[in-house]
Amino acid sequence: MSDTIKNVAVVGVLSSKGSGNLGTAVVQELTKAGFNVTVLTRKGSPSTLPPGVASREVDYESVDSLTPALQGQHAVVSTIATAAVRGQHPLVDAAVAGKVSRFIPSEFGINSRILGTSAIGKILQGKVQTLDYINQKSKENPSFTWTGISTGLFFDWVSIHGLEHGSLGLDKSTKTATIYDSGSEAVQTSNLGFIGRAIAAILSDPSKTVNRYITIASFNPSQAELLEIVERETGEKWNVNHVTTAEQEKFGLEKLGRGDYSAFSNLLRKRIYEDGAGLAVKGADSANSLLGLEDEEDLEAAVKAWLGG
Ligand SMILES: *[C@@H]1O[C@H](CO)[C@@H](O)[C@H](O)[C@H]1NC(C)=O
């Protein structure tokens, strides 16, 4: 049997929040790379698909509904939102039953394999357990393989959605930067199109990433570096608020204690911006070159696009 991947099912493209935007970028890049893409959609969800992309309605909770939809598919890419990650088990079972050869689960964030006892690990258990489950299925069925991809923050998405969603600490409407700790920690970030190209590269040469968890980044800017670029580009000093990651962790844990999952943003800041966090993805830690992608995308151009948008 040939290992060539041609038909790819993408999940999570139409979700209204968050990673739904990643799904759209993934469909675009896979289509551009010549894959035959089918988007799985929830029954009754409104469909606004790119032209030329097929779709198929499924019930994500039902292996019986998913299996026929996955028969004939060589790969499944799941981009569903973090909150729904736990619900991927029927999709995994159906992928095994449908003889899918590569499963790419909805990771696409910080590296979930090294969370240890960090507070954010409490929120990301769905990802951890889903990947453990996939790995178990792959051991039982060696022709079913997986690749996990950590991308860090979605740079272009986060910068569009701004502080509210989390994360770069820059608000261009008020020209204010919120700097966590010293602001000098390098932070793993990726643009959505870059993530799409990484997935296309994985599926074009799947033998390189069999049952592997890889980490990639468009670039790893520190907040100080971003502030320097926006000040240079706007020709103005920005207002700067200093905040500690210890305080972010405290807020996050308080929220979590109340069952408020917006704790995620606070705990994420603690995880990635803390001085010495050490989560930048460079050199040997980066799979960019393994996938034939550039070492780094152009940070200045990405910041300029954000300022101009
Ligand atoms: C594209 O994928 C669909 C769904 O799996 C399949 O029915 C169709 O035959 C494929 N087209 C080509 C050209 O392989």
Side-chain angles (χ1 to χ4, degrees), residues 6-8 36-38 54 69 71-73:
K6 178 85 181 116
N7 300 340
V8 182
N36 176 22
V37 177
T38 301
Q71 262 151 5
Q73 297 295 338

Side-chain angles (χ1 to χ4, degrees), residues 47-118:
S47 47
T48 45
L49 288 174
V53 173
S55 71
R56 177 152 178 163
E57 284 196 345
V58 292
D59 173 354
Y60 284 119
E61 276 143 44
S62 160
V63 178
D64 288 344
S65 158
L66 288 162
T67 301
L70 294 183
Q71 262 151 5
Q73 297 295 338
H74 305 127
V76 172
V77 181
S78 175
T79 66
I80 60 173
T82 299
V85 157
R86 261 177 221 281
Q88 286 175 111
H89 286 207
L91 187 65
V92 174
D93 291 343
V96 173
K99 307 239 179 304
V100 166
S101 69
R102 181 64 49 94
F103 194 98
I104 298 185
S106 193
E107 284 285 322
F108 310 118
I110 60 171
N111 186 338
S112 73
R113 297 277 103 187
I114 55 167
L115 295 172
T117 56
S118 63

Side-chain angles (χ1 to χ4, degrees), residues 1-35:
M1 199 186 88
S2 148
D3 281 341
T4 305
I5 289 175
K6 178 85 181 116
N7 300 340
V8 182
V10 182
V11 178
V13 176
L14 298 171
S15 91
S16 58
K17 290 192 211 154
S19 48
N21 296 312
L22 173 62
T24 306
V26 168
V27 169
Q28 272 167 7
E29 294 299 329
L30 289 178
T31 306
K32 210 190 283 178
F35 291 99

Side-chain angles (χ1 to χ4, degrees), residues 41-46 57:
T41 64
R42 207 175 284 281
K43 285 205 167 75
S45 72
E57 284 196 345

